[in-house]
Amino acid sequence: MSQRVFNFSPGPATLPEPVLREAGRALLDWQGQGAGVAEVSHRGAAFMAMAAAVEARLRRLLAIPEDYAVLFMQGGATLQQALVPLNLAAAGARADYLITGHWGQVALQQAAPYVDAHVVASAAPDFCAVPPASGWQLSAKAAYLHVTANETIHGVELNQRIQAPCPLVADFSSSIASRPIEVADYGLIYAGAQKNLGPAGITVVIVRRALLAREGQRRAPILDYRAHLARESMLNTPPTLNWYLLGLYLEWLESEGGVAAFATRHAQRSARLYAALDGSGGFYRNRVEKSVRSRINVPFFLPDAALEARFLAEAEQRGLVGLKGHKAVGGIRASLYNALPDTAVETLIDFMQEFCRHHG
Ligand code: PMP
């Protein structure tokens, strides 16, 4: 097998090696059944037991209170951005949105056909800061306030406790399980798995049960959280392999010390990377206000596009891949998700310092 690279991809992202090894075996033969995990019925006893164990583990890892339901769904975070207004707001009702980057804007677009979507504050067009809470134009009666916990493209992370007069809905796609959070602060949390929890194709939804009593809007059962909950996320055929991989990933997170251990790791290694950027005499530049710099996605720029192209090519020769910035902002972006080893970050920093010495 070729050597595995240090994969800084923004998602789908690197997975833990022990997970991949175990999954390789389970694809051929799962639990001695003579059939692989992707080849057995989701209604079989083995799969049902596994699914229940995955939920229990996620509840333990994230300290999810009993009065919250957990759903495993398809359609990515983007589908959730449409399901949230359909399920939590009456047709045309007011819903508040805080816009701190690209994904907040997408959430707003997805909700616009269903609600009176109101921007309480926006950091557009630069997305380098979070507008101060004192200036947010919160609606008197909003169905919910939607925020993006970590803006994957712009590298802006919310790190304040938000006080809202309505339920808080948060997109945690790129920062779930990267530090402990108080689930009770939120009405609903959603996150695609493909960055910090597993492969693409499965999305976690954590929702206060009381909110599911809201009537929401006219919608098909497949778009209704209550229908999914009633059938334990098996309203239709679930993405069985992805669910299994998510479970292995959670097992690995626990074996590595759980979410608190990852919080320490993320704090330390992102601080080292930002120190390298800031200590480069202006060769590398991150434009985000220091207090809201993301611990998870670190975008930065070099003096010009030609140097950036060269940086990416030379990085790749060192086995450092997935570093190209999103097309919306350009430049470089290092995504430091849970499964990325600390040595990857150290190797990147060494390479950056060397590249700066040669080209700075
Ligand atoms: N929200 C955030 C914060 C994201 O990073 C992404 C994907 N990069 C999305 C939403 C969209 O996720 P999906 O492609 O799973 O729909």
Side-chain angles (χ1 to χ4, degrees):
M1 190 174 80
S2 64
Q3 175 99 24
R4 281 178 62 78
V5 293
F6 288 135
N7 181 1
F8 293 86
S9 168
T14 190
L15 294 165
E17 264 191 59
V19 166
L20 296 171
R21 287 184 205 289
E22 179 71 27
R25 287 189 286 272
L27 273 171
L28 276 172
D29 181 10
W30 188 46
Q31 298 186 345
Q33 296 188 56
V37 64
E39 303 170 293
V40 298
S41 170
H42 56 292
R43 307 241 175 253
F47 192 87
M48 296 284 281
M50 185 217 69
V54 174
E55 180 179 332
R57 204 181 287 278
L58 187 71
R59 285 183 174 279
R60 200 156 64 226
L61 263 169
L62 300 183
I64 303 172
E66 262 312 303
D67 60 330
Y68 282 71
V70 176
L71 302 173
F72 297 91
M73 298 181 70
Q74 307 188 50
T78 311
L79 179 64
Q80 296 309 318
Q81 294 171 341
L83 294 190
V84 163
L86 278 173
N87 283 268
L88 302 189
R94 182 53 83 94
D96 281 354
Y97 282 78
L98 173 68
I99 310 295
T100 52
H102 173 90
W103 292 110
Q105 286 184 315
V106 174
L108 184 72
Q109 279 167 9
Q110 293 294 339
Y114 307 119
V115 284
D116 171 20
H118 166 70
V119 175
V120 302
S122 171
D126 297 336
F127 297 119
C128 289
V130 173
S134 56
W136 297 358
Q137 304 288 312
L138 294 168
S139 304
K141 271 195 173 168
Y144 57 84
L145 166 63
H146 181 283
V147 302
T148 310
N150 183 67
E151 282 287 354
T152 319
I153 294 175
H154 290 93
V156 173
E157 187 169 13
L158 292 181
N159 47 30
Q160 70 218 80
R161 224 166 155 174
I162 295 172
Q163 309 280 347
C166 59
L168 188 58
V169 172
D171 177 355
F172 265 92
S173 291
S174 47
S175 58
I176 190 145
S178 69
R179 68 176 165 203
I181 58 165
E182 200 64 61
V183 173
D185 284 355
Y186 301 88
L188 186 147
I189 288 169
Y190 64 90
Q194 67 266 32
K195 301 165 193 303
N196 274 310
L197 287 185
I202 189 157
T203 302
V204 168
V205 180
I206 302 164
V207 55
R208 194 184 299 139
R209 292 182 200 273
L211 284 178
L212 300 182
R214 288 188 178 183
E215 197 174 324
Q217 307 187 23
R218 194 174 142 79
R219 59 200 184 279
I222 194 71
L223 304 177
D224 191 329
Y225 288 138
R226 288 177 295 212
H228 285 276
L229 180 60
R231 300 286 292 276
E232 298 174 313
S233 303
M234 295 192 193
L235 182 60
N236 62 333
T237 314
T240 51
L241 178 60
N242 313 54
W243 205 334
Y244 166 77
L245 286 166
L246 171 72
L248 288 187
Y249 199 125
L250 297 183
E251 227 176 295
W252 176 82
L253 285 177
E254 252 183 354
S255 74
E256 291 282 308
V259 173
F262 281 89
T264 307
R265 218 146 145 179
H266 285 300
Q268 286 171 350
R269 66 195 198 178
S270 63
R272 282 189 42 72
L273 181 52
Y274 283 115
L277 295 173
D278 295 341
S280 68
F283 185 75
Y284 299 111
R285 281 169 301 115
N286 169 280
R287 300 169 177 165
V288 178
E289 199 176 273
K290 285 188 179 164
S291 63
V292 292
R293 280 174 162 178
S294 169
R295 301 161 303 127
I296 309 295
N297 304 98
V298 182
F300 57 94
F301 299 87
L302 276 69
D304 60 55
L307 270 176
E308 284 168 354
R310 189 156 179 177
F311 178 94
L312 291 170
E314 289 188 22
E316 195 154 334
Q317 284 167 11
R318 305 288 185 92
L320 300 162
V321 310
L323 286 162
K324 194 170 166 43
H326 190 275
K327 60 183 183 309
V329 296
I332 315 291
R333 171 175 47 164
S335 296
L336 318 179
Y337 299 126
N338 284 336
L340 185 80
D342 291 341
T343 48
V345 185
E346 292 306 316
T347 309
L348 173 64
I349 292 171
D350 287 347
F351 166 68
M352 285 167 62
Q353 288 170 342
E354 192 186 314
F355 189 87
C356 179
R357 276 197 301 278
H358 286 147
H359 303 282

